[in-house]
Structure formats: C-alpha cells, structure tokens
Amino acid sequence: MKKTRFSEEQMVKILREADAGPVAEIAKRHGISEATIYAWRKRYGELESADVKRLRQIEQENARLKKLLAERDLEIEVMKEISRKKW
C-alpha cells in the first residue's frame, strides 16, 4: 500500500483548517489538491485526532480477525475434504 505524505492526525488538522477557511487556500498552502481535501473529508468527516487513532486500531483488529476467520474456514474445508474421501 502506498504510504501517504501526511499522517492521519495531520490530515484531520488540515480538515479542521479547511472547515474554518476557504478550501482552495488551505489546499494551496499545504501543497495538495482540493479534491484531496474532499476525499479526506469523506473518509474522516468530523473525527478528531484521538478518534482517528482508535479507527486505525479497529481497522487493524478487523483485518486480523478476517485473516483468522479465513484460516479457520480453510481448515474446515480441508477437514471436510478428508472426511469425504473413502480410505
């Protein structure tokens, strides 16, 4: 995955600035496009820095749980396949 130039906390800070002032000016000051600010706003909305940290933790935990579930389903399929075979 591509590493972004800004951390999530910085993105939220820029979004709060954009809420207070004109988006075009804020985007130019930080060297990003207006579309980038709108994309960040779509993802982070009204979140604060602490909320973003928690969101990242939840996403990591969710990815770990999905991996565990996929591995368990694979094991179940293998066991079913073994039990179907006649020895």
XYZ file of all heavy atoms in Angstrom:
724
model
N 0.830 -1.163 0.000
C 0.000 0.000 0.000
C 0.886 1.241 0.000
O 1.925 1.274 0.626
C -0.910 -0.010 1.232
C -1.863 1.145 1.193
S -2.851 1.523 2.635
C -3.527 0.075 3.203
N 0.437 2.264 -0.712
C 1.206 3.493 -0.825
C 1.178 4.267 0.485
O 0.134 4.459 1.090
C 0.614 4.347 -1.940
C 1.363 5.619 -2.173
C 0.740 6.421 -3.279
C 1.426 7.748 -3.417
N 0.751 8.630 -4.344
N 2.327 4.688 0.936
C 2.444 5.483 2.159
C 2.141 6.936 1.797
O 2.684 7.485 0.851
C 3.865 5.351 2.702
C 4.131 6.162 3.913
C 3.808 5.392 5.147
C 4.305 6.175 6.342
N 3.382 6.234 7.386
N 1.267 7.565 2.576
C 0.911 8.953 2.292
C 1.936 9.906 2.887
O 2.687 9.554 3.783
C -0.482 9.293 2.859
O -0.454 9.117 4.268
C -1.548 8.423 2.250
N 1.907 11.085 2.381
C 2.830 12.123 2.821
C 2.443 12.679 4.187
O 3.280 13.157 4.932
C 2.814 13.234 1.774
C 3.943 14.206 1.872
C 3.991 15.084 0.670
N 2.811 15.937 0.608
C 2.683 16.961 -0.207
N 3.636 17.238 -1.050
N 1.597 17.685 -0.212
N 1.161 12.592 4.501
C 0.648 13.134 5.748
C 0.151 12.008 6.644
O -0.419 11.042 6.164
C -0.528 14.088 5.482
C -0.150 15.295 4.670
C -0.400 15.342 3.311
C 0.448 16.384 5.268
C -0.059 16.446 2.564
C 0.792 17.501 4.524
C 0.550 17.533 3.169
N 0.345 12.166 7.940
C -0.229 11.200 8.880
C -1.730 11.495 9.005
O -2.204 12.568 8.604
C 0.445 11.316 10.238
O 0.072 12.520 10.872
N -2.444 10.559 9.581
C -3.878 10.766 9.739
C -4.180 11.955 10.650
O -5.134 12.699 10.411
C -4.530 9.490 10.276
C -4.640 8.445 9.192
C -4.334 7.052 9.681
O -3.764 6.902 10.776
O -4.660 6.122 8.942
N -3.349 12.142 11.655
C -3.541 13.286 12.553
C -3.354 14.607 11.803
O -4.092 15.565 12.023
C -2.576 13.211 13.746
C -2.894 12.095 14.714
C -2.363 10.731 14.285
O -1.562 10.652 13.328
O -2.775 9.741 14.899
N -2.354 14.637 10.916
C -2.130 15.844 10.110
C -3.302 16.081 9.166
O -3.705 17.228 8.945
C -0.832 15.717 9.314
C 0.421 15.775 10.156
C 1.658 15.454 9.360
O 1.636 14.590 8.478
N 2.760 16.127 9.676
N -3.844 14.994 8.596
C -4.997 15.135 7.706
C -6.175 15.752 8.441
O -6.841 16.665 7.925
C -5.400 13.766 7.145
C -4.416 13.174 6.188
S -4.986 11.536 5.705
C -3.499 10.864 4.993
N -6.414 15.283 9.660
C -7.519 15.831 10.456
C -7.274 17.300 10.766
O -8.193 18.122 10.691
C -7.715 14.995 11.741
C -8.674 15.680 12.693
C -8.209 13.602 11.395
N -6.031 17.650 11.086
C -5.706 19.047 11.375
C -5.972 19.928 10.144
O -6.554 21.013 10.257
C -4.246 19.167 11.802
C -3.839 20.551 12.196
C -2.396 20.615 12.619
C -2.005 22.054 12.913
N -0.571 22.232 13.021
N -5.571 19.458 8.981
C -5.805 20.203 7.741
C -7.305 20.327 7.476
O -7.801 21.379 7.050
C -5.073 19.543 6.559
C -3.555 19.668 6.744
C -5.507 20.158 5.235
C -2.724 18.862 5.767
N -8.048 19.262 7.756
C -9.509 19.315 7.571
C -10.146 20.360 8.487
O -11.070 21.071 8.074
C -10.134 17.952 7.842
C -9.983 16.915 6.748
C -10.538 15.581 7.214
C -10.674 17.366 5.476
N -9.688 20.445 9.729
C -10.237 21.452 10.642
C -9.919 22.855 10.141
O -10.729 23.770 10.269
C -9.685 21.272 12.062
C -10.062 20.022 12.770
C -11.566 19.726 12.771
N -11.736 18.331 12.465
C -12.404 17.816 11.433
N -13.065 18.564 10.633
N -12.450 16.544 11.193
N -8.719 23.039 9.563
C -8.380 24.336 8.964
C -9.312 24.632 7.796
O -9.762 25.766 7.627
C -6.935 24.330 8.460
C -5.882 24.392 9.525
C -4.484 24.384 8.919
O -4.285 24.969 7.833
O -3.584 23.785 9.541
N -9.584 23.599 6.984
C -10.446 23.788 5.816
C -11.878 24.099 6.235
O -12.597 24.798 5.511
C -10.418 22.538 4.934
N -12.296 23.598 7.399
C -13.627 23.934 7.910
C -13.721 25.409 8.267
O -14.778 26.016 8.136
C -13.951 23.092 9.153
C -14.163 21.623 8.819
O -14.370 21.297 7.637
O -14.109 20.798 9.769
N -12.604 25.976 8.710
C -12.597 27.371 9.158
C -12.339 28.361 8.027
O -12.711 29.533 8.135
C -11.539 27.559 10.241
N -11.690 27.924 6.953
C -11.337 28.854 5.882
C -11.648 28.284 4.514
O -12.184 27.184 4.400
N -11.293 29.021 3.463
C -11.548 28.544 2.103
C -10.679 27.323 1.757
O -9.471 27.309 2.024
C -11.193 29.734 1.219
C -10.393 30.646 2.072
C -10.712 30.342 3.492
N -11.317 26.329 1.187
C -10.643 25.064 0.880
C -9.496 25.281 -0.101
O -8.418 24.716 0.067
C -11.661 24.037 0.329
C -10.962 22.785 -0.149
C -12.693 23.698 1.391
N -9.700 26.105 -1.108
C -8.668 26.329 -2.120
C -7.392 26.902 -1.495
O -6.278 26.470 -1.824
C -9.194 27.268 -3.203
N -7.556 27.834 -0.595
C -6.398 28.465 0.055
C -5.652 27.465 0.950
O -4.423 27.393 0.932
C -6.870 29.652 0.891
C -5.757 30.396 1.587
C -6.315 31.544 2.418
O -7.149 32.307 1.896
O -5.906 31.644 3.591
N -6.395 26.691 1.705
C -5.787 25.692 2.599
C -5.055 24.627 1.777
O -3.932 24.227 2.111
C -6.862 25.029 3.493
C -7.641 26.065 4.295
C -6.246 23.969 4.389
C -6.833 26.867 5.267
N -5.672 24.193 0.688
C -5.051 23.181 -0.166
C -3.748 23.695 -0.762
O -2.736 22.979 -0.777
C -6.021 22.771 -1.282
N -3.759 24.923 -1.229
C -2.554 25.509 -1.817
C -1.450 25.651 -0.777
O -0.281 25.360 -1.050
C -2.894 26.873 -2.417
C -1.763 27.481 -3.196
C -2.196 28.760 -3.882
C -1.072 29.323 -4.712
N -1.451 30.564 -5.385
N -1.807 26.055 0.436
C -0.834 26.237 1.495
C -0.127 24.921 1.850
O 1.060 24.906 2.132
C -1.508 26.796 2.741
C -0.502 27.096 3.835
C -1.098 27.690 5.112
N -2.290 28.481 4.914
C -3.344 28.437 5.741
N -3.344 27.643 6.779
N -4.392 29.189 5.510
N -0.874 23.821 1.798
C -0.303 22.521 2.168
C 0.206 21.722 0.963
O 0.731 20.622 1.135
C -1.330 21.701 2.944
C -1.628 22.277 4.295
N -0.759 22.174 5.353
C -2.693 23.000 4.752
C -1.283 22.787 6.405
N -2.449 23.310 6.062
N 0.026 22.249 -0.231
C 0.537 21.594 -1.433
C -0.254 20.363 -1.838
O 0.312 19.392 -2.337
N -1.564 20.415 -1.626
C -2.434 19.310 -2.027
C -3.574 19.871 -2.855
O -3.786 21.085 -2.886
C -2.992 18.553 -0.799
C -3.717 19.514 0.148
C -1.891 17.804 -0.068
C -4.357 18.849 1.347
N -4.309 18.988 -3.513
C -5.424 19.454 -4.331
C -6.680 19.577 -3.479
O -6.797 18.992 -2.403
C -5.683 18.483 -5.487
O -6.192 17.268 -4.985
N -7.632 20.335 -3.998
C -8.916 20.467 -3.303
C -9.616 19.122 -3.246
O -10.266 18.796 -2.251
C -9.798 21.487 -4.022
C -9.308 22.910 -3.907
C -10.217 23.876 -4.646
O -11.452 23.764 -4.495
O -9.685 24.736 -5.370
N -9.462 18.324 -4.300
C -10.085 17.004 -4.338
C -9.558 16.113 -3.211
O -10.305 15.313 -2.637
C -9.839 16.341 -5.688
N -8.285 16.287 -2.885
C -7.707 15.515 -1.787
C -8.384 15.869 -0.470
O -8.715 14.981 0.327
C -6.193 15.777 -1.687
O -5.576 15.400 -2.916
C -5.571 15.008 -0.547
N -8.613 17.142 -0.250
C -9.283 17.568 0.979
C -10.690 16.979 1.041
O -11.113 16.479 2.090
C -9.312 19.105 1.104
C -7.896 19.618 1.373
C -10.273 19.554 2.207
C -7.771 21.101 1.541
N -11.393 16.998 -0.081
C -12.751 16.441 -0.085
C -12.728 14.927 0.124
O -13.609 14.377 0.795
C -13.481 16.813 -1.366
C -13.783 18.298 -1.434
C -13.273 19.085 -2.458
C -14.554 18.921 -0.457
C -13.535 20.448 -2.510
C -14.819 20.280 -0.498
C -14.306 21.040 -1.537
O -14.565 22.377 -1.575
N -11.722 14.250 -0.403
C -11.592 12.809 -0.181
C -11.311 12.514 1.290
O -11.884 11.579 1.873
C -10.493 12.235 -1.066
N -10.438 13.301 1.894
C -10.151 13.134 3.322
C -11.412 13.399 4.143
O -11.698 12.700 5.103
C -9.060 14.081 3.778
C -7.691 13.778 3.252
C -7.290 12.666 2.569
C -6.541 14.604 3.380
N -5.957 12.757 2.263
C -5.466 13.931 2.750
C -6.304 15.840 3.953
C -4.182 14.460 2.693
C -5.032 16.370 3.894
C -3.981 15.687 3.271
N -12.150 14.431 3.755
C -13.369 14.777 4.486
C -14.373 13.631 4.400
O -15.062 13.330 5.381
C -13.978 16.056 3.924
C -15.147 16.555 4.752
C -15.640 17.891 4.276
N -14.697 18.935 4.700
C -14.626 20.129 4.154
N -15.421 20.454 3.166
N -13.765 21.012 4.593
N -14.423 12.981 3.247
C -15.328 11.848 3.081
C -14.920 10.710 4.015
O -15.761 10.037 4.602
C -15.304 11.369 1.636
C -16.267 10.254 1.331
C -16.221 9.884 -0.128
C -17.150 8.735 -0.442
N -17.038 8.319 -1.841
N -13.624 10.484 4.157
C -13.143 9.384 4.995
C -13.171 9.722 6.489
O -13.611 8.915 7.301
C -11.725 9.001 4.610
C -11.173 7.897 5.495
C -9.891 7.339 4.972
N -9.288 6.462 5.950
C -9.368 5.145 5.933
N -10.034 4.562 4.973
N -8.783 4.418 6.853
N -12.698 10.900 6.846
C -12.539 11.242 8.257
C -13.644 12.128 8.809
O -13.776 12.249 10.021
C -11.172 11.887 8.505
C -10.036 10.967 8.167
C -9.197 11.220 7.096
C -9.815 9.811 8.896
C -8.162 10.365 6.775
C -8.790 8.952 8.585
C -7.962 9.235 7.522
O -6.954 8.379 7.203
N -14.392 12.778 7.953
C -15.545 13.565 8.373
C -15.291 14.469 9.564
O -14.424 15.321 9.541
N -16.040 14.232 10.617
C -15.965 15.064 11.816
C -15.084 14.451 12.898
O -15.173 14.834 14.059
C -17.374 15.288 12.372
C -18.282 16.059 11.450
C -17.795 17.479 11.216
O -17.311 18.117 12.175
O -17.900 17.947 10.080
N -14.239 13.488 12.552
C -13.396 12.831 13.543
C -12.318 13.770 14.065
O -11.857 14.667 13.368
C -12.717 11.599 12.935
C -13.616 10.474 12.453
C -12.762 9.364 11.851
C -14.456 9.933 13.580
N -11.917 13.520 15.289
C -10.798 14.228 15.891
C -9.586 13.303 15.871
O -9.699 12.127 15.531
C -11.141 14.643 17.324
C -12.277 15.642 17.423
C -11.979 16.955 16.726
O -10.809 17.410 16.750
O -12.905 17.538 16.146
N -8.426 13.807 16.250
C -7.189 13.023 16.199
C -7.286 11.738 17.015
O -6.849 10.678 16.584
C -6.015 13.850 16.688
O -5.764 14.908 15.792
N -7.853 11.810 18.193
C -7.990 10.615 19.045
C -8.903 9.589 18.382
O -8.652 8.379 18.465
C -8.530 11.004 20.407
N -9.953 10.073 17.721
C -10.873 9.169 17.036
C -10.187 8.461 15.871
O -10.447 7.287 15.609
C -12.087 9.937 16.510
C -12.898 10.589 17.621
O -12.864 10.067 18.750
O -13.551 11.599 17.349
N -9.302 9.170 15.188
C -8.581 8.589 14.055
C -7.659 7.477 14.534
O -7.566 6.419 13.908
C -7.791 9.678 13.291
C -6.882 9.069 12.257
C -8.757 10.654 12.641
N -6.999 7.689 15.662
C -6.129 6.651 16.223
C -6.945 5.407 16.550
O -6.542 4.286 16.266
C -5.413 7.161 17.472
C -4.352 8.181 17.183
C -3.715 8.690 18.458
C -2.724 9.795 18.165
N -2.112 10.338 19.373
N -8.105 5.596 17.154
C -8.966 4.466 17.516
C -9.479 3.761 16.252
O -9.537 2.538 16.206
C -10.135 4.963 18.372
C -11.055 3.880 18.806
C -10.380 2.945 19.789
N -11.321 1.892 20.119
C -11.009 0.623 20.236
N -9.771 0.225 20.101
N -11.917 -0.263 20.509
N -9.832 4.536 15.233
C -10.283 3.961 13.968
C -9.196 3.082 13.362
O -9.472 1.974 12.896
C -10.671 5.073 12.991
C -11.060 4.641 11.582
C -12.340 3.816 11.610
C -11.232 5.862 10.688
N -7.965 3.536 13.388
C -6.843 2.760 12.854
C -6.677 1.452 13.633
O -6.466 0.398 13.043
C -5.558 3.573 12.909
C -4.393 2.890 12.239
C -3.174 3.759 12.194
N -3.427 5.063 12.800
C -2.514 5.835 13.332
N -1.265 5.479 13.312
N -2.811 6.997 13.863
N -6.791 1.517 14.956
C -6.686 0.307 15.776
C -7.803 -0.680 15.443
O -7.562 -1.881 15.321
C -6.749 0.658 17.266
C -5.547 1.375 17.787
C -5.747 1.835 19.223
O -6.866 1.869 19.730
N -4.654 2.204 19.873
N -8.995 -0.180 15.282
C -10.134 -1.042 14.962
C -9.955 -1.674 13.589
O -10.255 -2.862 13.395
C -11.452 -0.243 15.051
C -11.747 0.083 16.514
C -12.604 -1.020 14.442
C -12.902 1.026 16.719
N -9.462 -0.903 12.616
C -9.229 -1.459 11.284
C -8.170 -2.548 11.314
O -8.304 -3.578 10.639
C -8.819 -0.349 10.312
C -9.960 0.559 9.921
C -9.518 1.736 9.058
O -8.304 2.058 9.025
O -10.397 2.335 8.424
N -7.114 -2.365 12.094
C -6.072 -3.385 12.210
C -6.623 -4.646 12.873
O -6.342 -5.763 12.434
C -4.876 -2.849 12.999
C -4.074 -1.823 12.244
C -2.999 -1.173 13.102
O -2.995 -1.300 14.324
N -2.090 -0.456 12.451
N -7.416 -4.469 13.922
C -8.013 -5.619 14.592
C -8.971 -6.355 13.658
O -9.000 -7.586 13.617
C -8.755 -5.162 15.845
C -9.374 -6.308 16.621
C -10.118 -5.836 17.850
O -10.169 -4.622 18.118
O -10.657 -6.709 18.550
N -9.734 -5.604 12.890
C -10.670 -6.193 11.939
C -9.926 -7.020 10.891
O -10.352 -8.125 10.544
C -11.501 -5.102 11.277
C -12.646 -5.652 10.472
O -13.154 -6.721 10.758
N -13.063 -4.905 9.461
N -8.811 -6.505 10.387
C -8.021 -7.239 9.397
C -7.476 -8.530 10.000
O -7.492 -9.590 9.353
C -6.876 -6.369 8.889
N -7.026 -8.471 11.247
C -6.511 -9.661 11.922
C -7.612 -10.705 12.096
O -7.410 -11.890 11.830
C -5.934 -9.269 13.284
C -5.276 -10.425 14.039
C -4.803 -9.982 15.415
N -5.873 -9.573 16.292
C -6.629 -10.428 16.998
N -6.423 -11.712 16.914
N -7.581 -9.972 17.789
N -8.795 -10.259 12.498
C -9.902 -11.186 12.689
C -10.360 -11.808 11.369
O -10.704 -12.992 11.321
C -11.068 -10.473 13.384
C -10.818 -10.069 14.829
C -11.975 -9.221 15.350
C -10.601 -11.281 15.710
N -10.371 -11.024 10.300
C -10.729 -11.559 8.991
C -9.745 -12.636 8.553
O -10.122 -13.657 7.980
C -10.775 -10.450 7.941
C -12.014 -9.605 8.014
C -12.013 -8.564 6.914
C -13.265 -7.728 6.937
N -13.297 -6.738 5.855
N -8.468 -12.416 8.824
C -7.447 -13.396 8.476
C -7.658 -14.686 9.259
O -7.581 -15.792 8.705
C -6.060 -12.825 8.753
C -4.935 -13.751 8.379
C -3.590 -13.120 8.676
C -2.469 -14.106 8.378
N -1.169 -13.593 8.765
N -7.930 -14.561 10.562
C -8.186 -15.741 11.388
C -9.408 -16.511 10.892
O -9.392 -17.747 10.833
C -8.394 -15.337 12.845
C -7.166 -14.905 13.624
C -7.571 -14.382 14.997
C -6.188 -16.047 13.756
N -10.447 -15.794 10.522
C -11.654 -16.426 10.017
C -11.389 -17.168 8.713
O -11.844 -18.302 8.527
C -12.765 -15.393 9.823
C -14.092 -15.930 9.300
C -14.710 -16.874 10.320
C -15.027 -14.781 8.983
N -10.631 -16.562 7.826
C -10.304 -17.205 6.554
C -9.484 -18.469 6.782
O -9.732 -19.506 6.138
C -9.542 -16.237 5.655
N -8.532 -18.422 7.702
C -7.726 -19.600 8.003
C -8.585 -20.711 8.603
O -8.440 -21.877 8.257
C -6.598 -19.238 8.972
C -5.520 -18.385 8.345
C -4.504 -17.873 9.350
O -4.681 -18.094 10.575
O -3.536 -17.239 8.909
N -9.505 -20.348 9.487
C -10.389 -21.341 10.096
C -11.289 -21.976 9.046
O -11.479 -23.193 9.020
C -11.237 -20.695 11.179
C -12.032 -21.736 11.986
C -13.195 -21.112 12.633
N -14.057 -20.609 11.563
C -15.328 -20.336 11.729
N -15.874 -20.462 12.886
N -16.052 -19.895 10.740
N -11.851 -21.169 8.143
C -12.701 -21.706 7.078
C -11.922 -22.647 6.175
O -12.446 -23.670 5.738
C -13.307 -20.568 6.259
C -14.401 -19.820 7.009
O -14.869 -20.342 8.048
O -14.783 -18.726 6.551
N -10.675 -22.323 5.896
C -9.833 -23.179 5.076
C -9.595 -24.521 5.776
O -9.684 -25.578 5.151
C -8.502 -22.495 4.775
C -7.531 -23.261 3.891
C -8.139 -23.516 2.524
C -6.226 -22.500 3.776
N -9.319 -24.475 7.072
C -9.120 -25.702 7.831
C -10.378 -26.571 7.824
O -10.300 -27.794 7.679
C -8.710 -25.388 9.271
C -7.315 -24.844 9.404
C -6.989 -24.418 10.822
O -7.826 -24.616 11.733
O -5.881 -23.886 11.018
N -11.533 -25.960 7.961
C -12.801 -26.700 7.937
C -12.998 -27.358 6.586
O -13.398 -28.528 6.507
C -13.978 -25.762 8.291
C -13.915 -25.379 9.772
C -15.314 -26.419 7.962
C -14.907 -24.314 10.182
N -12.716 -26.634 5.509
C -12.853 -27.204 4.168
C -11.915 -28.391 3.972
O -12.290 -29.400 3.377
C -12.597 -26.144 3.093
C -13.712 -25.153 2.938
C -15.017 -25.805 2.523
O -15.004 -26.675 1.621
O -16.045 -25.456 3.125
N -10.698 -28.268 4.455
C -9.734 -29.370 4.336
C -10.234 -30.585 5.108
O -10.180 -31.716 4.613
C -8.339 -28.923 4.838
C -7.409 -30.112 4.993
C -7.749 -27.896 3.887
N -10.738 -30.378 6.308
C -11.255 -31.492 7.112
C -12.456 -32.149 6.440
O -12.590 -33.374 6.452
C -11.628 -31.007 8.519
C -10.456 -30.490 9.317
S -9.126 -31.681 9.487
C -9.835 -32.764 10.689
N -13.337 -31.364 5.837
C -14.485 -31.927 5.117
C -14.016 -32.764 3.936
O -14.558 -33.826 3.665
C -15.408 -30.812 4.630
C -16.253 -30.205 5.712
C -17.151 -29.120 5.125
C -17.996 -28.476 6.194
N -18.840 -27.383 5.654
N -13.022 -32.245 3.219
C -12.493 -32.965 2.056
C -11.877 -34.293 2.493
O -12.072 -35.317 1.827
C -11.458 -32.107 1.335
C -10.970 -32.659 0.024
C -12.046 -32.702 -1.028
O -12.945 -31.834 -1.025
O -11.993 -33.628 -1.874
N -11.159 -34.279 3.577
C -10.540 -35.507 4.081
C -11.614 -36.503 4.506
O -11.515 -37.700 4.223
C -9.586 -35.190 5.260
C -8.350 -34.453 4.725
C -9.188 -36.454 6.002
C -7.439 -33.937 5.814
N -12.656 -36.022 5.173
C -13.699 -36.931 5.648
C -14.547 -37.491 4.505
O -15.128 -38.565 4.630
C -14.589 -36.237 6.667
O -15.331 -35.222 6.054
N -14.623 -36.824 3.365
C -15.388 -37.296 2.208
C -14.682 -38.448 1.489
O -15.328 -39.270 0.867
C -15.630 -36.158 1.214
C -16.823 -35.332 1.585
C -17.125 -34.347 0.489
N -17.113 -33.043 1.157
C -16.747 -31.894 0.638
N -16.359 -31.858 -0.607
N -16.772 -30.806 1.318
N -13.377 -38.461 1.548
C -12.618 -39.499 0.867
C -12.825 -40.830 1.587
O -12.878 -40.873 2.812
C -11.142 -39.151 0.838
C -10.808 -38.010 -0.078
C -9.316 -37.789 -0.119
C -8.991 -36.640 -1.065
N -7.555 -36.417 -1.130
N -12.886 -41.881 0.809
C -13.023 -43.199 1.410
C -11.665 -43.842 1.437
O -10.980 -43.988 0.435
C -13.983 -44.061 0.607
C -15.391 -43.533 0.670
C -16.335 -44.468 0.021
C -17.740 -43.877 0.147
N -18.730 -44.763 -0.408
N -11.263 -44.268 2.589
C -9.933 -44.863 2.747
C -10.053 -46.311 2.570
O -10.210 -47.248 2.825
C -9.355 -44.505 4.113
C -9.149 -43.029 4.240
C -10.022 -42.135 4.744
C -8.014 -42.279 3.807
N -9.514 -40.873 4.684
C -8.256 -40.932 4.102
C -6.823 -42.607 3.189
C -7.378 -39.926 3.832
C -5.944 -41.599 2.936
C -6.211 -40.274 3.240
